[in-house]
Amino acid sequence: GASFVLEEGARVQINGNAKITGNIINILGRIAVTDNSKLTIGSGSNLVLRYIPVSSVILGNNSELIIESEAVLSYGPTTTTDCGIGSKITVQNGGTLRAGEYSKFTSSGSWVGIVAEVGSTISTYSSTIANAEWGINAQAAKVNLIHTYFSDCENGVWLLNCSDYNLNDNYFDGKGTGTGVRVTESTGVLRSNTILNHTAGIVAISCSPLISENYLHDNATCGIALYGYNTYPQLLNPSVSNDELNNRIINNGLTTTGENGSQIFMMYRANAYMNNGYNNIYSGDENSIPVVPCIKTVSDIGVSQQLKSEVSQLVVIPADYNYWGIDEITDVDKSSFFELWRELQKGYSIDYDPYATEAFEPGLPGHIVYSTNEPPTQEEQLLKVAMLLEEKGNFKPSIKKYETIIDKYPDSDEYYVATSRLPQVLAKEEESLEPLFITYDDALASDEITNKKFIKQMKVSTKIKDKKYDEAIIIAEELKAETESEAEKKLCDIEIAICNMMKDAQGVAKNEMDYLLTIDKLVNELTPDEKAQPTDIAEYNIPTESKLFQNYPNPFNPVTQIKFALAKTADVKLSVYNISGQKVAELANGVKNAGYHMIDFDGSRFNSGVYYYTLKVDGKSFTKKMVLTK
């Protein structure tokens, strides 16, 4: 029960391992943890760094600051932690870390970051976290991040099985690597964040967060990447009227070295709900063909042709009332905007019309012109009301609205959104999740519901949310046994690892870091290699349709590579034109065999500027834009 007071100028140095049990108040000096040492704030203790510039914590190389259960570490304004290389802060189950205004976690090298274990609490306000491998790595923790600046971190935030979170108005400025925000099995709200200079801005795996009013730009590969059958995020803002700007997803993928460059990338049957989204989604200059696609989808890499033939569902991306960077999208240009994997009635298509013919402007609602005008459907209006009620904390009426959508509009886009959000709202209202499994079983038995794997994956996610981990593992194993794709198996393995991590956290043994490394490895294997050169991408079979790909690199100086696919042997012509429409080069003219072809274009004798390359085959013409910079 004693208190330990550090006056101004005082210094405590920890060599080896030490543990504080009790309270340290009015810390006006410095606490230093030397290299390879640990300082533990014991259970029930309280350590408060007061408002004064000299108050700080110093972590040596490979040192660790541990906050145990029921212990609290609070940072007052302007306090700092200087983090040595390889150091980290660990908040254990029941522990709390609070970082106040202008507090900083900085490092001259690279430190691990803040690890929030199962059951812990992290809260930051107007703080700075710099040079970490993961700024905050939260596993089933309560996370509240507001006005926090993540500077030069390899990765910003990873939320793993963490549904009680608020990421609002944060700024993620990376180092050109990693992910700004990764959410895995973590449905919640990402609002008003700015994310740039990462490989991907937001990555969502097996969850459906609300993504609202964010600004995602200049990320190397994509603004948003989505993976998993029950990944169905909502890119809308239920709390504002129509015509008000929502997300800005702009100029991502311009420096990608792979083929998944896009503003929004979807894989493994993931989808996104963007009806009445009012998002600006484009690359390049306004009113021009996008440098990289607005939306890109691909099939499971490595999936056998036999498995592809068994995929009977056509996934439709609901995306009306958004701006795609141009005032008119013609049939000729459509494939440049939406590069979608599709085979006959399999794969993806997009419902993007009506679309805005001019960009939405921040703070300037109304007076937007659309390609056509169609009023929202009843189910769209009902969904917006349900989400608004949820956002305001009116959970009971929100639950009723979601249930009405599920009952009255089966297999609609709104049906899948309501199904993805309902477990979250029931859990917040502390209502039983058990009735949902009857709904899931009815859906699996119904001929009306086409996306069965979405429902099966929801069963796993809901069992995890209901803390019935053994039952979740059984369902995940059953789903894994049905798959033929290695990627699908990894999705199941991620869920199984989360269950085992949660089970372990309830017992005496604690191996959360081992699970974290395992899950991180699975996630990295699940996502395509964004650094792969086009020539490194395996060709698994003869393409089912002729296609022209985006050149790489783009922009380029002076040589770039152009790739195209031929569904059959054909007479082709590949030409390059300047912005005035004059042909400046002919790269191919003759018969080419079925398959994939790559041709270099050398722009060393041309001026900097915009060029177009056109492939003509079987009476069809495909055109894409490229930029030469010298």
Side-chain angles (χ1 to χ4, degrees), residues 82-101:
D82 295 323
C83 305
I85 296 172
S87 64
K88 68 175 179 177
I89 298 174
T90 302
V91 189
Q92 294 183 346
N93 191 341
T96 299
L97 172 63
R98 301 191 187 105
E101 194 172 16

Side-chain angles (χ1 to χ4, degrees), residues 211-214 235-237 244-248 277-279:
I211 300 175
S212 179
E213 299 182 277
N214 300 282
L235 276 67
L236 54 83
N237 188 353
E244 292 192 36
L245 174 64
N246 187 21
N247 296 292
R248 288 176 289 169
Y278 308 103
N279 302 289

Side-chain angles (χ1 to χ4, degrees), residues 53-333:
V54 298
S55 180
S56 65
V57 175
I58 301 172
L59 298 179
N61 297 334
N62 301 310
S63 65
E64 184 176 9
L65 175 61
I66 301 171
I67 305 170
E68 286 190 336
S69 176
E70 306 306 322
V72 179
L73 172 59
S74 299
Y75 284 73
T78 75
T79 54
T80 64
T81 295
D82 295 323
C83 305
I85 296 172
S87 64
K88 68 175 179 177
I89 298 174
T90 302
V91 189
Q92 294 183 346
N93 191 341
T96 299
L97 172 63
R98 301 191 187 105
E101 194 172 16
Y102 304 122
S103 58
K104 295 181 179 180
F105 302 83
T106 63
S107 176
S108 57
S110 178
W111 62 300
V112 175
I114 300 171
V115 179
E117 294 186 349
V118 174
S120 61
T121 299
I122 297 287
S123 178
T124 65
Y125 179 79
S126 292
S127 304
T128 297
I129 300 175
N131 290 311
E133 294 176 18
W134 277 101
I136 293 179
N137 196 318
Q139 312 151 48
K142 182 176 181 179
V143 180
N144 188 39
L145 310 179
I146 300 176
H147 299 300
T148 298
Y149 179 34
F150 293 82
S151 173
D152 291 323
C153 294
E154 295 284 339
N155 303 274
V157 173
W158 182 14
L159 304 177
L160 178 61
N161 189 32
C162 177
S163 294
D164 191 358
Y165 64 84
N166 178 28
L167 268 62
N168 193 346
D169 204 20
N170 303 292
Y171 195 94
F172 299 83
D173 189 357
K175 301 169 67 173
T177 59
T179 304
V181 176
R182 181 200 287 176
V183 286
T184 306
E185 193 59 64
S186 300
T187 294
V189 180
L190 306 173
R191 185 182 296 279
S192 300
N193 301 288
T194 298
I195 305 176
L196 69 155
N197 293 331
H198 286 280
T199 299
I202 294 173
V203 174
I205 302 171
S206 297
C207 59
S208 303
L210 172 63
I211 300 175
S212 179
E213 299 182 277
N214 300 282
Y215 184 23
L216 313 176
H217 66 99
D218 294 302
N219 296 289
T221 299
C222 55
I224 298 176
L226 308 174
Y227 305 92
Y229 293 99
N230 67 327
T231 300
Y232 214 126
Q234 304 89 50
L235 276 67
L236 54 83
N237 188 353
S239 62
V240 300
S241 61
N242 295 347
D243 294 352
E244 292 192 36
L245 174 64
N246 187 21
N247 296 292
R248 288 176 289 169
I249 310 171
I250 300 172
N251 284 337
N252 301 284
L254 299 183
T255 58
T256 183
T257 57
E259 284 202 346
N260 52 339
S262 57
Q263 307 316 305
I264 301 175
F265 180 76
M266 302 179 192
M267 201 170 186
Y268 313 122
R269 317 300 289 177
N271 204 338
Y273 185 86
M274 291 178 278
N275 274 348
N276 303 294
Y278 308 103
N279 302 289
N280 287 340
I281 306 172
Y282 61 87
S283 62
D285 298 327
E286 290 187 27
N287 291 309
S288 65
I289 301 297
V291 178
V292 295
C294 300
I295 295 179
K296 183 179 180 69
T297 69
V298 299
S299 62
D300 294 5
I301 291 180
V303 174
S304 67
Q305 191 65 29
Q306 176 186 358
L307 179 60
K308 285 184 179 181
S309 68
E310 294 171 358
V311 177
S312 58
Q313 181 198 355
L314 179 64
V315 176
V316 179
I317 303 168
D320 58 19
Y321 289 97
N322 297 283
Y323 178 67
W324 305 102
I326 199 167
D327 58 1
E328 182 181 8
I329 302 175
T330 67
D331 289 339
V332 173
D333 297 332

Side-chain angles (χ1 to χ4, degrees), residues 570-589:
D571 193 359
V572 303
K573 182 179 287 188
L574 180 63
S575 306
V576 178
Y577 299 86
N578 62 22
I579 197 168
S580 299
Q582 299 171 316
K583 184 191 291 188
V584 297
E586 188 169 270
L587 306 181
N589 189 353

Side-chain angles (χ1 to χ4, degrees), residues 369-489:
V369 178
Y370 299 98
S371 56
T372 58
N373 283 293
E374 297 177 4
T377 64
Q378 287 185 336
E379 53 267 40
E380 288 174 353
Q381 296 180 53
L382 190 59
L383 178 64
K384 186 171 182 178
V385 171
M387 295 184 69
L388 182 59
L389 288 168
E390 178 189 350
E391 190 172 54
K392 291 183 175 180
N394 299 325
F395 299 132
K396 284 190 181 296
S398 176
I399 291 168
K400 295 298 183 184
K401 299 292 185 185
Y402 286 135
E403 290 175 338
T404 299
I405 294 170
I406 292 169
D407 182 56
K408 291 185 63 176
Y409 304 101
D411 212 46
S412 66
D413 300 312
E414 291 72 27
Y415 167 89
Y416 290 104
V417 174
T419 301
S420 70
R421 298 208 67 83
L422 187 53
Q424 173 93 351
V425 190
L426 287 170
K428 287 181 177 179
E429 191 60 20
E430 298 183 349
E431 291 192 16
S432 172
L433 301 182
E434 200 59 36
L436 288 177
F437 297 100
I438 299 174
T439 304
Y440 297 150
D441 289 337
D442 289 343
L444 292 173
S446 171
D447 293 333
E448 291 185 290
I449 307 303
T450 57
N451 196 343
K452 305 294 188 184
K453 287 189 176 179
F454 171 91
I455 301 298
K456 292 178 181 178
Q457 200 71 55
M458 282 302 303
K459 291 183 73 173
V460 178
S461 295
T462 305
K463 287 293 184 184
I464 292 175
K465 190 175 293 294
D466 208 20
K467 300 181 180 180
K468 296 179 179 178
Y469 304 118
D470 288 329
E471 294 179 31
I473 290 173
I474 291 172
I475 300 171
E477 291 285 7
E478 291 173 353
L479 185 57
K480 181 179 176 180
E482 296 174 7
T483 66
E484 293 186 38
S485 162
E486 288 302 315
E488 290 181 295
K489 289 181 171 65

